[in-house]
Structures are given as structure tokens and as C-alpha cells.
Amino acid sequence: MVSRTLLVLSLVLGAFSVLQAQPSSSPGQRPALRVLVVTGGCCHDYPFQTQQLQLAVNAVADVTWTVVNEGGKGTRAEIPLYDQPNWARAYDVVVHNECFADTHDPAYLQKIVSGHEKGGTPAVVVHCAMHSYRASTSDAWRAFLGVTSRRHDHQSNYTVRRVVDGHPALRGFPAEWVTPKDELYIVEKLWPSAKALAVAKSEKDGLDHATIWVNDHQGTRVFGTTFGHGNVTWEDPVFLKLIASGLLWASGRN
Ligand SMILES: [Zn+2]
């Protein structure tokens, strides 16, 4: 009886060890992408933009989403998220779609960018992220973005021209794309670590401005676009595909 019990026990344990040895996912299957969206502040419909972002990326990747919409609807806020040490560490990529132009404390900005430095988390930066913290004397945020912009031209249907071929962040992006009514951000400076992928011409001064770019911020990937003002842009399939491709590239999945 005892030996029979031992036999059954060993069979059960054997089966258990076989189960334990099985991989938890099939070969080649990647774990879900962990995406943090930081959004909120002035001037835009962030719940809708976030919903559209999620739809676009969910079409190309398995994603675990965390959305932090803090700081109200004004132009100045210091949100609790960035008070957490290593606030970005638990994520594969952070989408910055916040809009706080008048927040300017350099120490606060350093808390934000530190999440992306020294082996930190890659980022996607969208539209008003480029005008966030523009009141600050610190260049820390602008160096992280890869562009300096403090103002924008009027809303129009801008023709966006791809200036780089074959970049994975532009997968599926046409040679030219006419935007829905959107703002053209005037780029004063493209930082040396950044590379423009597409440009659009100002209807006022005739100059080309980077509207889609990538930045190597101290070894961390950053993908950016200055478009994304209105809901019409966030309903445009070319824009949504662009955001998804850029996010995959930034996170190393593309
Ligand atoms: Zn805007």
C-alpha cells in the first residue's frame, strides 16, 4: 500500500515537474508591452486622444496600459506621478501627451527626464508635450525631446513630406501626407542627437519644420511628432498608424 502511494505521489510530482518545465507562452511569443500614458493639462481632448492611441496600438501589439491623467486642464501643474522614484521603470515605453506650458521648475523637469536617462525608459512625445515646460530656463526637457519649439502657426491642412526612407518608425507612412486641420509647430532647434524623419512647410515663412523625428537621448530612444491637436487628427488613419509604428520603434519592438 505504501509503495503504491509512493508510486502515485511520484507520478503526480513527475507530472507537476513536466508542467513546470513547459514555457508559459509559445515560442516566439512576446510578453505584453507595458505602456504608460502621461496626459492632461490645457487645450486638448485627452480622454479621446488616449482612447484613439489605445485603439491604434492595440491593433499591432499586445499591450498592458497604464494611463495617468493628472494636473487638471490648466497650463501649470506638477503632477504626483513624477514624485515617485523610478516612476518610469516599470514600463517599456512612456507616451508623453501632457500640456503644461507654464510649469518651469528645473528640479521638477529633472525628475521627469531622469526616468528616461541612464538606461531609462524610451518615450513617445506628442504635440503639446513639445510646448510643455517651455517657460523653464532649463533645457533638460527640450534636450530629451530633441526639438525646441515655443510657438505654432495657424491651423491648416499641412503637407508632410517624408525625408528619410526605410525608418521603422515610418512603416506604412506615405511619401506625402496632408494632415487634417492641425497646428504647425515652429521648431527653433533640432538638437544634434535628433534626426528629422518628415517635415512640413510653414505657410507664413516658407521654412520647413521637423514634424516627425527620432531622438537618441543619452542612448534612450525617443519618437516625436508635433501633430495631434484636434480630434480630427486622432481619427486620421495615417496619423494613428504613425503613432503606433513610432511607439513600436521606440520600445524596440519594430
Ligand atoms: Zn494643440
Side-chain angles (χ1 to χ4, degrees), residues 43-44 99 127-128 152 155 182-183 185 228-230:
C43 310
H44 308 96
C99 190
H127 192 59
C128 202
H152 61 77
Q155 291 188 32
D182 207 322
E183 299 164 342
Y185 276 30
H229 173 77

Side-chain angles (χ1 to χ4, degrees), residues 21-215:
Q22 294 296 315
S24 59
S25 56
S26 58
Q29 185 179 336
R30 291 170 157 179
L33 201 58
R34 300 163 301 170
V35 181
L36 170 64
V37 182
V38 184
T39 195
C42 176
C43 310
H44 308 96
D45 184 352
Y46 296 112
F48 181 79
Q49 294 187 1
T50 301
Q51 170 199 303
Q52 294 298 97
L53 167 72
Q54 292 175 320
L55 281 173
V57 181
N58 285 344
V60 295
D62 183 18
V63 179
T64 301
W65 294 94
T66 303
V67 178
V68 173
N69 185 339
E70 294 179 330
K73 296 184 177 180
T75 61
R76 182 183 293 197
E78 295 190 4
I79 65 174
L81 169 72
Y82 298 134
D83 285 331
Q84 300 170 28
N86 306 315
W87 63 268
R89 185 171 288 174
Y91 305 99
D92 297 308
V93 62
V94 176
V95 179
H96 284 283
N97 192 24
E98 69 254 55
C99 190
F100 299 110
D102 294 322
T103 301
H104 58 80
D105 178 19
Y108 177 75
L109 270 57
Q110 190 54 48
K111 283 194 291 189
I112 305 174
V113 298
S114 67
H116 302 290
E117 295 176 341
K118 297 180 181 149
T121 305
V124 174
V125 293
V126 182
H127 192 59
C128 202
M130 267 52 72
H131 285 177
S132 288
Y133 321 124
R134 67 186 173 191
S136 182
T137 55
S138 166
D139 271 335
W141 175 253
R142 297 183 272 273
F144 156 70
L145 298 173
V147 297
T148 297
S149 177
R150 300 173 197 272
R151 63 188 179 89
H152 61 77
D153 275 3
H154 58 285
Q155 291 188 32
S156 188
N157 301 108
Y158 289 99
T159 299
V160 182
R161 290 179 291 116
R162 181 156 46 88
V163 293
V164 167
D165 286 328
H167 196 287
L170 289 185
R171 186 160 291 158
F173 193 79
E176 283 196 350
W177 168 55
V178 178
T179 70
K181 287 275 186 187
D182 207 322
E183 299 164 342
L184 180 69
Y185 276 30
I186 302 304
V187 174
E188 296 170 20
K189 174 179 176 178
L190 186 69
W191 286 67
S193 54
K195 180 184 178 68
L197 301 184
V199 300
K201 195 178 294 293
S202 166
E203 294 174 353
K204 291 184 174 171
D205 66 15
L207 297 175
D208 281 338
H209 293 275
T211 54
I212 303 167
W213 67 93
V214 289
N215 189 30

